[in-house]
Amino acid sequence: MLMTGIILLIFKKNAIFARCYNLTEMMDKNNNSGLLPVGTLLAGGKYRIERYIASGGFGNTYYAINTAFDEPVVIKELFIKGICGRTVDTSEVSVSLTENRVTFEDHRDKFRKEARRLRRLNNPHIVQVHDLFDENGTSYYEMDYVDGESLSARLARTGVPLSEAEATDVLMGMLQALKAVHEQGIWHLDVKPGNILVNKEGVPMLIDFGASKQLHSTTHNSVSMASGMAYTMGYAPTEQMEQKPEKFGPWTDLYSLGATLYRIMTRNKIPSPSDIIENVDEALKFPEGVSREMRDLVVWMMEPLRTMRPQSVDEVLERIEQNRYRAEAEQQSAAYYAPSTGGAAAGNYDEYFDDEEELEAIIVDDDDDELPGQLAVEGLDYGLYGSGTMQPYEEEPAEEPVEEEPAEEPVEEPIEEEPIEEEPVEEEPAEEEPIEEEPAEEEPIEEEPIEEEPVEEEPIEEEPIEEELIEEEPVEE
């Protein structure tokens, strides 16, 4: 019995030792990977690490809890692969080589600047930064947690590419985000499906600005060859793969965005710049449902030569707007020339023309500048074309009777009679024009009217009075 108890105690003791050894091994492995252990408290206990999310070339990202409000947040930690390590007992970040200390401090300064710049951004497609602090020999910043799914996770979950309409929503959201970022002098340098989250409301959001701090080094130091500049193969253009930051610009992010569009609409492997140069049609193959305008836009954004790509977000937006106008123009033209199906909007214009020859002449005469079917992409005036009807020709016959409006002149004649009845009733009756009827005496009186010619001239003098009345009539109207 005693022997059994001793053996059991030794067995339990060995089990405890084995368990402790395994736990230490796991902690060593976790620390060697550069990750903070679950349960780690940061900022004096303000944040508690719950789980690891992802890592990039310049940092680790964690899901954490704000202990004061019991709310989920995201914590970003500066941790450069290849030059940073972590001690087992304290989670302190250390730099592997003394010569890398200057590089680490340079990136640490950029990390802080990145957080401050992102905090100033107020864009619905960029995650908001709220806190910045130093701890464990490195720096951290805290930002909103987005409850959603990345585009890469969606592709993996569904196995189905996004439609062009869905991809367009992503494109427009990312263009707004990149425009705001570029205006702050930041290039993202890691635009890809994994860094685009779509929240519960369907709003795409750009995350993970970890690679952006690589730019504009004040000391011109570079990361050691062991780490290099981080980028994602397929989404990085030539200047990024060649590690030439002096050639980075908005066009670098736009290449990555074009590659992202290609991936989410096709689920195909993204070709290399050299493959695109050799045969762009073979390298970039799209499904049937993708329009020619979208295909051309992606090819333009993925031009291997950076000077041939769009140089700014505004250039892409302008191209999209031109495509929209062109599509609307084609729809207008198609509606105009559509075969008759019983309605003006469907191309049945018989009700607007009495003469079929006249209708044929108008449709056939392509040289007529006033032909509604002649739609120009630039300078469209939709007010003239309506929805493909012949409304402009309704106005032309309406103008012809306007020329015949002299028929209104007879209206002036009764108006002339009215004033004659008013004023002459007061004055002229005294002179009584019946004197003109005295020709009943005929021959003897024929000489008298000769003398009374001045009397006849008096009404002539009064005629201007009648003209004045005529001039006043428009005022009454």
Side-chain angles (χ1 to χ4, degrees):
M1 189 72 175
L2 178 61
M3 182 63 68
T4 303
I6 293 173
I7 293 173
L8 182 61
L9 179 62
I10 293 173
F11 176 79
K12 288 183 177 180
K13 188 175 181 180
N14 289 337
I16 293 172
F17 283 148
R19 186 176 298 172
C20 290
Y21 176 78
N22 290 336
L23 181 59
T24 303
E25 185 181 20
M26 290 174 63
M27 290 178 64
D28 289 342
K29 183 178 180 181
N30 187 58
N31 285 327
N32 288 335
S33 66
L35 301 178
L36 287 171
V38 172
T40 300
L41 296 177
L42 298 174
K46 184 177 181 180
Y47 307 108
R48 183 179 67 250
I49 301 298
E50 294 291 316
R51 61 182 172 86
Y52 161 76
I53 296 179
S55 293
F58 291 84
N60 302 319
T61 306
Y62 305 91
Y63 173 87
I65 293 294
N66 184 320
T67 57
F69 300 102
D70 195 28
E71 293 178 348
V73 297
V74 172
I75 299 292
K76 187 67 178 288
E77 177 188 46
L78 175 65
F79 191 95
I80 305 175
K81 287 183 178 179
I83 69 173
C84 287
R86 196 185 302 277
T87 59
V88 176
D89 298 330
T90 64
S91 297
E92 195 80 8
V93 172
S94 60
V95 178
S96 57
L97 300 174
T98 304
E99 54 266 29
N100 285 331
R101 170 57 62 181
V102 176
T103 298
F104 175 78
E105 292 300 331
D106 181 41
H107 284 276
R108 189 175 183 179
D109 181 60
K110 294 175 189 174
F111 184 88
R112 295 188 185 108
K113 289 180 179 178
E114 170 195 328
R116 295 187 184 101
R117 286 172 179 168
L118 292 177
R119 181 174 173 80
R120 288 195 296 266
L121 295 176
N122 185 16
N123 189 284
H125 301 284
I126 299 176
V127 178
Q128 186 70 37
V129 173
H130 298 287
D131 197 5
L132 173 65
F133 57 94
D134 294 335
E135 194 168 342
N136 297 328
T138 188
S139 297
Y140 301 84
Y141 63 76
E142 176 262 333
M143 50 190 170
D144 290 331
Y145 171 73
V146 178
D147 186 11
E149 183 181 38
S150 70
L151 293 179
S152 60
R154 172 178 170 173
L155 291 176
R157 176 176 57 83
T158 64
V160 177
L162 275 68
S163 66
E164 181 174 343
E166 293 172 318
T168 300
D169 289 339
V170 173
L171 170 63
M172 300 307 294
M174 291 304 97
L175 287 176
Q176 291 184 40
L178 289 177
K179 183 176 176 65
V181 171
H182 293 170
E183 288 175 351
Q184 291 292 326
I186 303 174
W187 321 137
H188 187 279
L189 300 182
D190 201 18
V191 178
K192 58 185 179 182
N195 283 338
I196 300 175
L197 293 180
V198 179
N199 65 16
K200 297 298 184 181
E201 289 73 35
V203 178
M205 305 187 73
L206 184 61
I207 64 170
D208 195 357
F209 287 76
S212 65
K213 71 181 68 62
Q214 300 172 29
L215 296 179
H216 309 308
S217 172
T218 55
T219 60
H220 301 288
N221 289 311
S222 61
V223 181
S224 64
M225 294 301 293
S227 62
M229 285 187 178
Y231 62 85
T232 303
M233 185 63 70
Y235 299 95
T238 304
E239 66 269 18
Q240 196 171 356
M241 291 189 292
E242 292 178 350
Q243 308 280 292
K244 295 181 178 179
E246 69 278 4
K247 294 184 178 181
F248 294 173
W251 47 87
T252 307
D253 284 341
L254 293 175
Y255 181 97
S256 302
L257 181 55
T260 297
L261 291 173
Y262 179 75
R263 172 63 180 167
I264 64 178
M265 288 191 296
T266 66
R267 294 189 73 247
N268 295 338
K269 180 181 178 182
I270 301 174
S272 66
S274 60
D275 291 336
I276 297 175
I277 291 174
E278 289 177 4
N279 191 330
V280 63
D281 293 330
E282 281 294 320
L284 297 172
K285 294 182 177 180
F286 295 86
E288 292 293 333
V290 179
S291 68
R292 171 53 58 188
E293 289 77 14
M294 177 61 84
R295 298 183 189 198
D296 292 344
L297 181 65
V298 171
V299 170
W300 182 38
M301 295 172 71
M302 292 187 68
E303 278 284 351
L305 188 61
R306 60 190 174 92
T307 56
M308 298 297 292
R309 285 178 232 144
Q311 300 297 291
S312 68
V313 170
D314 286 338
E315 286 190 21
V316 180
L317 292 172
E318 183 179 356
R319 174 76 166 266
I320 293 172
E321 192 70 6
Q322 289 176 352
N323 288 341
R324 186 176 67 84
Y325 281 138
R326 185 177 293 107
E328 290 180 357
E330 290 174 355
Q331 291 176 1
Q332 293 284 347
S333 181
Y336 178 80
Y337 289 109
S340 174
T341 57
N348 184 7
Y349 304 121
D350 296 341
E351 62 181 281
Y352 293 93
F353 297 92
D354 297 328
D355 189 349
E356 292 185 0
E357 294 182 359
E358 179 185 0
L359 175 59
E360 291 180 2
I362 291 177
I363 294 179
V364 172
D365 185 8
D366 291 340
D367 295 331
D368 187 355
D369 294 337
E370 297 181 356
L371 179 63
Q374 299 292 326
L375 302 179
V377 174
E378 297 181 1
L380 280 178
D381 185 353
Y382 297 104
L384 293 178
Y385 307 109
S387 58
T389 66
M390 298 293 291
Q391 292 175 355
Y393 285 92
E394 291 180 356
E395 297 177 358
E396 289 181 0
E399 290 177 0
E400 293 177 359
V402 172
E403 296 176 359
E404 297 174 358
E405 285 181 359
E408 296 179 358
E409 293 178 0
V411 177
E412 295 179 359
E413 293 177 359
I415 294 171
E416 291 175 3
E417 292 175 0
E418 289 177 1
I420 292 170
E421 291 177 359
E422 291 175 1
E423 294 182 359
V425 168
E426 296 175 359
E427 297 176 0
E428 291 181 0
E431 296 174 358
E432 291 181 356
E433 291 181 0
I435 295 172
E436 295 177 355
E437 296 176 356
E438 289 177 358
E441 297 177 0
E442 296 180 353
E443 295 178 359
I445 300 171
E446 286 177 0
E447 297 177 357
E448 291 179 1
I450 295 171
E451 295 176 359
E452 290 177 359
E453 286 179 359
V455 176
E456 293 178 358
E457 292 175 357
E458 289 179 3
I460 294 172
E461 292 176 0
E462 292 175 359
E463 286 179 1
I465 296 174
E466 294 177 359
E467 292 177 358
E468 290 177 0
L469 292 174
I470 294 170
E471 292 176 358
E472 291 176 358
E473 286 171 8
V475 177
E476 292 175 1
E477 293 178 357

